[in-house]
């Protein structure tokens, strides 16, 4: 018997001057699934998590305000609340930690600030401007001068309120956060070697556990 003739393809070879838009449907190349190592065709792949948006691990810092100047102490607390001491700091995120300040009532004020510094407020009506001096503010609430100093130094954005909620002020040496300051936990004692130097963070030891 005579051998069968090979079947000729009915697909016409496209001219060289055709492009994808002018090429008819029968002449376009067929779409095929691309198979790579570790990937199954037709299965949705979970996107890779970005490390820039991982959960923030917040530590606790204890600061002793005994004998510290109020304004300089506030300028050293702000970087801890913002998280500028971390290598992963991002200005658009709240990367800060918790700060516990004790002996706030024993902070000092230099010069004639007790009588010359004024805190103004306005009632909203005509002639409603009033003020209190620093001495009067300390007599009513000894924690308020440091809180206002820190609040004024924080960046004026939407993160300021939640950063202020992590600031815990106590007039004496005792505080109610003993469970957070234990060995093995992210807890530190902040010390200041110089008036212009940043805080030196020292991990809490077993002897310092309240």
């Amino acid at each position: 018997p005579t051998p069968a003739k090979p079947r000729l393809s009915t697909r016409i070879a496209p001219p060289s001057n055709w492009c994808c838009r002018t090429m008819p449907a029968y002449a376009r190349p067929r779409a095929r699934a691309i198979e790579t190592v570790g990937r199954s065709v037709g299965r949705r792949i979970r996107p890779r998590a970005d490390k820039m948006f991982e959960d923030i691990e917040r530590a606790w810092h204890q600061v002793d305000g005994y004998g510290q100047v109020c304004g300089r102490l506030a300028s050293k607390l702000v970087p801890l609340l913002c998280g500028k001491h971390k290598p992963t700091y991002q200005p658009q995120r709240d990367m800060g930690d918790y700060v516990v300040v004790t002996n706030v009532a024993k902070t000092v004020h230099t010069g004639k600030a007790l009588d010359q510094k004024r805190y103004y407020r306005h009632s909203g009506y005509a002639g409603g401007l009033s003020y209190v001096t620093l001495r009067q503010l300390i007599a009513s609430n000894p924690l308020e001068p440091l809180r206002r100093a820190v609040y004024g130094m924080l960046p004026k954005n939407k993160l300021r309120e939640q950063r202020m909620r992590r600031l815990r002020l106590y007039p004496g040496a005792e505080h109610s956060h003993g469970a957070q300051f234990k060995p093995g936990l992210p807890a530190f004692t902040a010390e200041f070697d110089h008036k212009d130097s940043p805080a030196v963070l020292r991990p809490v030891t077993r002897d310092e556990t309240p």
Side-chain angles (χ1 to χ4, degrees):
T2 59
K5 296 182 179 181
R7 185 176 180 181
L8 300 178
S9 176
T10 58
R11 182 180 295 274
I12 302 176
S16 59
N17 59 351
W18 280 7
C19 62
C20 295
R21 294 182 179 179
T22 59
M23 186 181 299
Y26 67 87
R28 296 176 184 174
R30 296 179 181 178
R32 296 185 179 182
I34 301 176
E35 297 184 5
T36 56
V37 179
R39 176 180 177 182
S40 58
V41 179
R43 183 178 179 183
R44 182 175 296 179
I45 301 177
R46 186 176 181 179
R48 183 179 299 177
D50 195 346
K51 294 184 178 180
M52 295 181 61
F53 299 96
E54 290 182 346
D55 295 338
I56 302 172
E57 182 181 359
R58 304 190 188 277
W60 287 75
H61 306 281
Q62 182 177 359
V63 181
D64 188 7
Y66 183 86
Q68 298 282 343
V69 180
C70 181
R72 289 177 178 173
L73 178 60
S75 64
K76 297 174 183 178
L77 300 180
V78 169
L80 299 178
L81 294 173
C82 296
K84 287 190 174 183
H85 60 288
K86 299 181 179 180
T88 58
Y89 169 72
Q90 302 175 28
Q92 75 276 8
R93 298 187 65 193
D94 187 11
M95 308 287 294
D97 298 334
Y98 292 88
V99 179
V100 179
V101 186
T102 57
N103 293 323
V104 178
K106 298 180 182 180
T107 56
V108 298
H109 303 272
T110 59
K112 301 179 181 179
L114 290 175
D115 299 323
Q116 292 182 354
K117 184 172 180 58
R118 300 177 177 181
Y119 295 91
Y120 291 90
R121 61 180 299 271
H122 201 283
S123 62
Y125 294 93
L129 182 64
S130 61
Y131 68 88
V132 293
T133 61
L134 179 58
R135 188 184 300 274
Q136 296 173 351
L137 186 63
I138 294 176
S140 61
N141 187 1
L143 308 179
E144 190 65 15
L146 182 59
R147 191 199 69 82
R148 293 195 182 191
V150 174
Y151 186 80
M153 294 182 186
L154 286 173
K156 282 69 176 176
N157 50 30
K158 296 182 179 180
L159 303 177
R160 182 159 66 164
E161 298 297 334
Q162 62 191 56
R163 285 169 175 168
M164 285 297 299
R165 285 195 291 269
R166 292 197 304 272
L167 178 64
R168 313 297 171 85
L169 304 178
Y170 293 90
E174 299 180 357
H175 60 84
S176 59
H177 303 285
Q180 283 74 27
F181 291 94
K182 291 184 178 180
L185 298 178
F188 303 89
T189 301
E191 298 178 353
F192 308 108
D193 296 339
H194 192 263
K195 62 180 182 179
D196 296 330
S197 63
V200 179
L201 305 180
R202 185 166 50 87
V204 176
T205 59
R206 188 176 300 274
D207 298 337
E208 299 175 352
T209 303

